[in-house]
Amino acid sequence: MKQFALSMFLAFAVSTTLSADEWVNLFNGKNLNNWIQKNGTATYRIQGDAITGKTNEGSPNSFLCTKKLYGDFELEFEVKVANELNSGVQIRSQTKEVPEESKIKFGRVNGPQVEIEASGSKGAEAGYVYGEATGRGWLTTAERLKPHKHFKDGEWNHFRVIAKGPKIETWINGQHIETLVDQEIYKTHSKGFIGLQVHGIKKGTGPYEVSWKNIKIKELK
């Protein structure tokens, strides 16, 4: 009986270890070797255990992108953003060619984006899904795009994103925000990079910052 109990315990321990190993930290805490900046001239730096992006006046949207591409996955991260700055995390994203005179590095980043935005006094659209440079605007439907206050201004907020087939689900601080099923965007963006966005700002404003930490991903089969 004791031997059986020990065998069960060891089996459980191995199973738990394997499950935990499925998660991969996208930021190693030391450098940005696994990332590449595309578009824009915002700056990204390591600040403690976080990646911090800082706006640069006159710059278009900037993106710090994973070199690896991901299809179906579960993504978690924590983020803190200046109340004045709109931001987001690109998922399954790609780049497209642009005119040479545009001076956009690596082509225009496009694809689904999980919105990051302070709630303010009236609530906002954090956690909903936008179609960055897709020509479609919000992928979240108009009837679901309701402002809310689940994002805590000036604090670290925990995001969870599951992308499985044409379905994208999001949570903020444990609160379910969106379930998007979009066959059209899945046809063009079934796989791509993860990108940390620093949004462009109006002239004469800023600088503003946004920080991400505990960025981890688990690929789904």
Side-chain angles (χ1 to χ4, degrees):
M1 186 68 180
K2 288 182 179 180
Q3 186 174 1
F4 174 78
L6 178 60
S7 298
M8 291 297 293
F9 172 79
L10 291 174
F12 174 79
V14 170
S15 174
T16 302
T17 301
L18 290 175
S19 177
D21 287 346
E22 292 177 355
W23 285 98
V24 174
N25 291 319
L26 292 179
F27 172 47
N28 62 19
K30 300 176 182 178
N31 54 56
L32 301 177
N33 291 348
N34 296 324
W35 302 78
I36 183 171
Q37 184 170 346
K38 301 181 179 183
N39 306 177
T41 56
T43 59
Y44 293 87
R45 70 182 188 276
I46 298 172
Q47 186 174 22
D49 60 351
I51 297 174
T52 295
K54 185 177 182 179
T55 59
N56 184 24
E57 187 177 326
S59 170
N61 296 346
S62 302
F63 304 88
L64 186 67
C65 308
T66 59
K67 292 180 179 178
K68 183 175 177 177
L69 306 183
Y70 298 92
D72 291 348
F73 59 83
E74 182 173 354
L75 172 71
E76 292 190 14
F77 60 89
E78 292 178 64
V79 63
K80 182 166 62 174
V81 64
N83 292 345
E84 302 86 352
L85 180 63
N86 170 274
S87 183
V89 167
Q90 296 292 137
I91 61 171
R92 291 175 169 171
S93 291
Q94 54 192 231
T95 55
K96 58 185 176 183
E97 290 186 10
V98 293
E100 209 172 303
E101 59 270 20
S102 69
K103 297 181 180 179
I104 292 180
K105 292 182 178 180
F106 305 106
R108 180 65 167 95
V109 169
N110 64 95
Q113 178 192 115
V114 179
E115 182 77 359
I116 296 171
E117 185 179 17
S119 295
S121 60
K122 298 181 180 179
E125 290 80 22
Y128 294 124
V129 185
Y130 184 76
E132 177 76 18
T134 62
R136 292 184 54 190
W138 285 103
L139 302 182
T140 292
T141 58
E143 61 268 21
R144 287 191 53 77
L145 194 65
K146 306 298 182 185
H148 62 80
K149 291 190 175 184
H150 298 300
F151 189 96
K152 300 175 182 178
D153 296 357
E155 299 181 27
W156 286 102
N157 290 266
H158 180 269
F159 276 61
R160 180 186 180 208
V161 181
I162 296 180
K164 181 74 172 176
K167 182 166 71 173
I168 299 172
E169 292 187 90
T170 67
W171 292 258
I172 298 178
N173 299 322
Q175 176 67 45
H176 185 264
I177 304 297
E178 172 65 316
T179 298
L180 172 72
V181 179
D182 194 315
Q183 295 286 353
E184 182 180 348
I185 198 69
Y186 184 63
K187 287 179 182 178
T188 57
H189 295 76
S190 61
K191 187 175 185 178
F193 53 73
I194 309 296
L196 312 181
Q197 184 203 56
V198 175
H199 204 284
I201 58 174
K202 295 179 181 179
K203 187 176 181 179
T205 62
Y208 305 121
E209 293 187 339
V210 52
S211 297
W212 297 266
K213 67 179 182 179
N214 297 326
I215 313 166
K216 62 180 183 178
I217 195 166
K218 177 167 60 176
E219 296 186 76
L220 303 177
K221 298 180 180 178

